[in-house]
Amino acid sequence: MKMTADYHTHTIYSHGKGTVEENVLEALAKGLDTICISEHGSGHLLYGVKKDRLLQLKNEILQLREKYPAITILFGIEANIINYDGTIDVEAYLDIFDVVLVGMHYMIRFNKFAYYYGTNFLSRYLGLFRDYC
């Protein structure tokens, strides 16, 4: 199997080690056709990227698309579910992204913080809710 794309990469904008351009160059070196820079949404307490920085990142990606036409460079977000109804932390500005990955992380601003983290912790280590997966 040949991998042709990576849709989940981080940079120094959140908790990655390299710049956006370094990620693009590495993707080219590995022969990828597509790379998606997908930082954490602003709801993550440790690694979340605020909207103004996301707009800066988008501009950087637009410039790199011109510089490296041999690879498709997508702008993504690793959004965080912040409510039981499925609300995510970047709903107000979803239109700026090419790709939206959605998940539940530790260290997010959840509306019922203690209940969510307590239940999540207990289910992980005590096996609660296994029948619902």
Side-chain angles (χ1 to χ4, degrees), residues 104-119:
M104 297 181 77
H105 292 95
Y106 285 108
M107 300 307 293
I108 61 164
R109 292 180 197 98
F110 199 77
N111 71 337
K112 293 184 179 179
F113 187 85
Y115 177 77
Y116 168 75
Y117 283 106
T119 303

Side-chain angles (χ1 to χ4, degrees), residues 3-34:
M3 191 162 86
T4 61
D6 188 346
Y7 287 90
H8 187 177
T9 70
H10 295 294
T11 70
I12 56 175
Y13 277 86
S14 63
H15 64 95
K17 304 283 189 223
T19 66
V20 177
E21 187 167 17
E22 288 171 338
N23 280 19
V24 170
L25 291 171
E26 186 65 27
L28 283 167
K30 291 182 177 187
L32 298 182
D33 299 325
T34 304

Side-chain angles (χ1 to χ4, degrees), residues 13-84:
Y13 277 86
S14 63
H15 64 95
K17 304 283 189 223
T19 66
V20 177
E21 187 167 17
E22 288 171 338
N23 280 19
V24 170
L25 291 171
E26 186 65 27
L28 283 167
K30 291 182 177 187
L32 298 182
D33 299 325
T34 304
I35 185 170
C36 182
I37 307 299
S38 52
E39 304 298 359
H40 286 278
S42 59
H44 196 287
L45 296 172
L46 297 176
Y47 306 122
V49 181
K50 304 292 183 235
K51 184 181 178 185
D52 60 327
R53 294 272 292 154
L54 288 171
L55 293 172
Q56 179 183 348
L57 174 57
K58 180 170 184 154
N59 287 331
E60 188 174 340
I61 289 170
L62 292 174
Q63 291 171 5
L64 291 172
R65 285 178 183 170
E66 290 181 23
K67 187 173 179 179
Y68 300 101
I71 188 168
T72 301
I73 306 169
L74 300 173
F75 179 42
I77 192 73
E78 191 175 349
N80 300 289
I81 298 170
I82 58 170
N83 202 329
Y84 288 107

Side-chain angles (χ1 to χ4, degrees), residues 87-103:
T87 302
I88 58 175
D89 57 350
V90 295
E91 281 193 29
Y93 43 97
L94 277 174
D95 58 331
I96 68 171
F97 305 107
D98 300 312
V99 174
V100 178
L101 309 171
V102 178

